[in-house]
Structure formats: C-alpha cells, structure tokens
C-alpha cells in the first residue's frame, strides 16, 4: 500500500510517531497559559496514555480506547471556545514540529473540530 493510500494512523508514523506527537501536545498544553491550569491535577502519564489510545483507535490503529467518551470526560468543565482553540493550536504546533504533511494536518483539524460540540460549554 502506498503512503497516500494508507490510513491516517500509518501516515502519522504509527505507534511511535503518534507517541512523539502526544508528548509534544502535552508539553504544549502545560506551558500554554490559556489552558495549563486545567491540567494542574492531572497524572501526565495517564492522560497521555488515554490520548494515544483515543487517537490510535479513532484513526485506524490497533489500540483499544479505555477512557470515557468526549462528552462524559469534559462535562461540567464549562470549557470555552478560546480554550478549545488553544488545545487545537497546541495540537497543530505538535504536528508541525513532527513534520506531519499538510493533508494529514487538515485531516486531524477536521477530526478535532468534529468533536467540538461534545467538549465546549457542556
Ligand atoms: C478535540 C479536542 C479534545 C480531545 C480530542 C480531548 C481528548 C481527551 C481525552 C481522550 C481525555 C481522557 C478522557 C478520560 O479521562 O477518560 C481528556 C480529558 C481531559 N480533557 Fe480533553 N480533549 C479535547 C479538548 C479539551 C479542551 C479544549 C480542554 C480544556 C482545556 C480539555 C481538558 C481536559 C481535561 C482537564 C481532561 C481531564 C484530564 C485528567 O483526567 O486528568 N480537553 N480529553
């Protein structure tokens, strides 16, 4: 299968590539003044594992997601539009840092926005 035909999981570098991206997303989040307070009580290894599972399972990888659905996980946090954009920006800069292609970047952006209704003001 050629690179253009393979699923997003493979095109993002598989387990290893995604693990590196998730590390960078986490370090962007905890240094981003708009959202870092949200993660002050979090166990970093646990959140990173859940995010690796969530993305892996959602984009064609072999992972099984063991966390909560997006609505349940974010309900009651009253997350704002501004915070949502901050999270998306952190993901995009992690993709850039890992030299992810434009097509993959666009696909990830669409996936993130598709979940907005389950995350913002819920
Ligand atoms: C499309 C965007 C997002 C995705 C894909 C996402 C994904 C996730 C996942 C997979 C979890 C773990 C679920 C679980 O605990 O069972 C989680 C938890 C969490 N998310 Fe999000 N999230 C997004 C946006 C946001 C935003 C905008 C905020 C606000 C800054 C946020 C704050 C949190 C917090 C505070 C937790 C709990 C962490 C903990 O349990 O320590 N998320 N998210």
């Amino acid at each position: 299968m050629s690179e253009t035909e393979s699923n997003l999981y493979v095109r993002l570098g598989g387990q290893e590539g995604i693990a590196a991206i998730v590390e960078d997303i986490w370090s962007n989040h905890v240094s981003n003044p708009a959202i870092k307070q949200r993660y002050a009580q979090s166990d970093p290894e646990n959140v990173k594992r859940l995010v690796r599972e969530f993305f892996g399972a959602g984009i064609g990888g072999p992972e099984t997601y063991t966390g909560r659905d997006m609505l349940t996980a974010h309900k009651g946090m009253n997350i704002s539009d501004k915070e949502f954009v901050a999270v998306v920006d952190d993901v995009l800069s992690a993709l850039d840092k890992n030299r992810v292609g434009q097509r993959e970047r666009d696909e990830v952006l669409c996936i993130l926005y598709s979940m907005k209704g389950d995350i913002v003001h819920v």
Side-chain angles (χ1 to χ4, degrees):
M1 198 163 32
S2 78
E3 183 80 344
T4 44
E5 286 167 324
S6 59
N7 69 32
L8 186 55
Y9 185 82
V10 172
R11 286 183 282 121
L12 289 179
Q15 192 180 48
E16 213 178 306
I18 291 163
I21 293 166
V22 171
E23 285 298 325
D24 290 333
I25 294 171
W26 180 258
S27 56
N28 289 343
H29 281 357
V30 295
S31 56
N32 186 337
I35 49 169
K36 64 178 181 186
Q37 206 46 43
R38 292 283 192 181
Y39 302 98
Q41 314 299 325
S42 297
D43 167 2
E45 292 313 315
N46 192 47
V47 181
K48 284 187 279 183
R49 177 183 56 81
L50 288 170
V51 173
R52 286 195 304 268
E53 287 177 6
F54 181 76
F55 271 106
I59 61 175
E63 284 82 0
T64 301
Y65 179 54
T66 60
R68 297 167 290 173
D69 64 72
M70 290 301 95
L71 183 58
T72 310
H74 300 93
K75 208 171 175 58
M77 287 192 209
N78 200 21
I79 292 170
S80 67
D81 280 282
K82 190 175 163 229
E83 289 177 300
F84 185 81
V85 171
V87 162
V88 171
D89 280 347
D90 283 352
V91 174
L92 294 179
S93 18
L95 296 178
D96 289 344
K97 190 177 169 209
N98 287 274
R99 305 193 181 287
V100 165
Q102 186 64 43
R103 179 180 161 214
E104 287 71 26
R105 199 177 188 277
D106 291 347
E107 287 178 40
V108 173
L109 185 58
C110 286
I111 293 168
L112 294 176
Y113 264 95
S114 75
M115 294 181 280
K116 188 179 175 201
D118 282 346
I119 293 171
V120 171
H121 296 309
V122 288

